Amino acid sequence: MVADKRRSEQPRDVLGRAPSLADTLAARLREELASGRLKAGERLPTEQQLSQTYGVSRPIVREAVGRLKHDGLVLSRQGAGAFVADPKASSVFRLDVANFSDKGDLRHIVELLMAVEASATEHTAERHSDADLATIRARLNEMQAAIDRGESGVDEDVAFHRAIIDATGNPYFRDLSEFLDRRVRTFIRTARANSARLAGMAQIVQGEHQAIFDAIVARDPQGARAAAETHLKNAAARLAIYLDR
Amino acid sequence: MVADKRRSEQPRDVLGRAPSLADTLAARLREELASGRLKAGERLPTEQQLSQTYGVSRPIVREAVGRLKHDGLVLSRQGAGAFVADPKASSVFRLDVANFSDKGDLRHIVELLMAVEASATEHTAERHSDADLATIRARLNEMQAAIDRGESGVDEDVAFHRAIIDATGNPYFRDLSEFLDRRVRTFIRTARANSARLAGMAQIVQGEHQAIFDAIVARDPQGARAAAETHLKNAAARLAIYLDR
DNA sequence: GATAACCAAGTTGCCTGACAAGTACGGTTT
DNA sequence: AAACCGTACTTGTCAGGCAACTTGGTTATC
């Protein structure tokens, strides 16, 4: 495993990256499936045919079809062929956040994040263990310590929310909100970077955190949900400020 | 950005399909990344090295790495190599529902479904158009018609909820709840198949639908959320009955 | 001596051709 | 008519090779 010394030179994938042939072919086939020209259970053209139709080699076709298989859209049997999978039976879900810079898109993401986090907070309020509570309290204190040190506390902020979500014991909540959180909060982080009003705002955020924590301690699900919702709503509002500049 | 430890790549024993080499290799590499032996920004071994290390041909390595690229875990630049992607920057999320028969897993799924649908219903109540409302009403009537014909109305049930979700205009709500819905409701459908108490229950369900619809019409977000929550909670309870038998 | 142009090795992207393993279908045999 | 079998077809895998691109060091130039 050779280490790359120039870590700052992380390749920018989003822009400038020419899509590979397999990528474009996979996209076209996906379109073909979505359009309904190929129905569930039907057989796809053979790799040979596909390679001729689209003018690429068979390994490329294999790679493209392999992705569809990976995403649960097709199934293949050696010797028989590849078949369109029944969407009802598909067990994988794929979420693509393509154009994150788009403001409408960001709003949609935040809405989903709010739905998940508010519900998770509610659940945690009604079924947390003592150990869960101790962890959450520790994160809350760390956030305060970061603020006292004059830092933004964004990382501690994330950790606090994550502790709450983890306490639900629901891996789907955990994974989904971790993903959404990362997307939204890295956005916030970069947006905040040039801001001067950092210190005061962090303390306001902390106050909202305290309200959430108190409701959890009191085992008050409704209150916890409400506190989480206002917190997230405020966060979205604060975010909007930076978006408009 | 991957959601699950129970990767579907390894034990695809569902239909007896032996996992392909590319599948298993992809799973091993994924493990390698998740374990942290390879950190973000580092370069992966070359395809040549990988093919020697794991004793497979280079096309197989390409296919495996291609899946990691597809899932946003790896980025590659022609001539330079393949690099571990920064999870923070990853823009794809993958949700794997591997062992759906597991009861705990089903509960987690239902919890997520409830979170998404309740929030979506709330949003629709506060910002629906007349056209949205007309569509939802149509679905409600179709459900009633199905019940009057003595059918279970499961399809119409799904369509009703889907109309509400669509009205939010949030594609992430739509896609996610469609996926979860499909998983849960096909389960319900098969569970219900042998049940005799079908007719009466369908009418009860319809009553809950009516409550949701009324709250939406009244543009009462809180009421809509509450109605949706009770409906989903009841649905989960009804489901539990069939699970326990 | 510092800087710019350049070259060679290494790497991924893609291709052709081939063989093995498994499947489907039609013809043959019983 | 039913069971059997062989052949063509399809996917899974491998080997080797060329083109495009990146990188780092070397050489040429000022």
Side-chain angles (χ1 to χ4, degrees), chain B residues 77-140:
Chain B
R77 275 155 48 220
Q78 185 171 342
F83 301 83
V84 182
D86 181 5
K88 291 194 204 8
S90 173
S91 64
V92 343
F93 172 74
R94 222 180 115 84
L95 189 65
D96 253 281
V97 182
N99 44 354
F100 195 63
S101 52
D102 178 18
K103 205 170 162 184
D105 214 48
L106 176 60
R107 214 197 63 201
H108 290 150
I109 291 282
V110 171
E111 272 183 6
L112 183 55
L113 176 63
M114 284 178 60
V116 174
E117 285 218 21
S119 292
T121 306
E122 184 178 350
H123 282 127
T124 291
E126 67 191 2
R127 69 176 185 221
H128 64 266
S129 72
D130 291 345
D132 294 332
L133 204 60
T135 306
I136 297 170
R137 180 182 286 116
R139 297 294 161 272
L140 187 69

Side-chain angles (χ1 to χ4, degrees), chain B residues 26-45:
Chain B
R28 289 194 61 170
L29 291 178
R30 210 179 288 269
E31 218 173 84
E32 205 84 9
L33 295 188
S35 75
R37 277 190 287 276
L38 285 169
K39 290 169 207 150
E42 283 185 12
R43 217 192 66 183
L44 272 72

Side-chain angles (χ1 to χ4, degrees), chain B residues 113 117 158 161 177-186:
Chain B
L113 176 63
E117 285 218 21
V158 173
H161 285 282
S177 78
E178 181 184 340
F179 171 72
L180 298 173
D181 233 36
R182 270 212 282 241
R183 298 297 300 171
V184 174
R185 286 182 200 276
T186 54

Side-chain angles (χ1 to χ4, degrees), chain A residues 52-140:
Chain A
Q52 287 182 355
T53 305
Y54 294 99
V56 297
S57 70
R58 202 166 79 95
I60 297 301
V61 171
R62 282 191 61 74
E63 206 176 320
V65 175
R67 295 195 188 170
L68 301 189
K69 282 194 289 184
H70 184 54
D71 288 351
L73 273 66
V74 306
L75 300 171
S76 67
R77 274 158 45 221
Q78 184 171 344
F83 301 83
V84 182
D86 180 7
K88 291 193 205 10
S90 172
S91 63
V92 338
F93 172 73
R94 196 165 199 284
L95 190 62
D96 255 283
V97 182
N99 45 352
F100 196 63
S101 51
D102 179 16
K103 204 169 162 185
D105 213 49
L106 177 60
R107 213 197 62 199
H108 289 150
I109 291 281
V110 171
E111 271 183 6
L112 183 54
L113 176 62
M114 285 178 60
V116 174
E117 286 220 18
S119 292
T121 307
E122 184 179 351
H123 281 127
T124 291
E126 66 191 2
R127 68 176 184 222
H128 64 265
S129 70
D130 291 344
D132 294 331
L133 203 61
T135 307
I136 297 170
R137 179 182 286 117
R139 298 293 162 274
L140 186 69

Side-chain angles (χ1 to χ4, degrees), chain A residues 200-211:
Chain A
M201 206 153 75
Q203 195 57 62
I204 293 175
V205 169
Q206 182 70 345
E208 294 169 6
H209 282 181
Q210 187 70 50

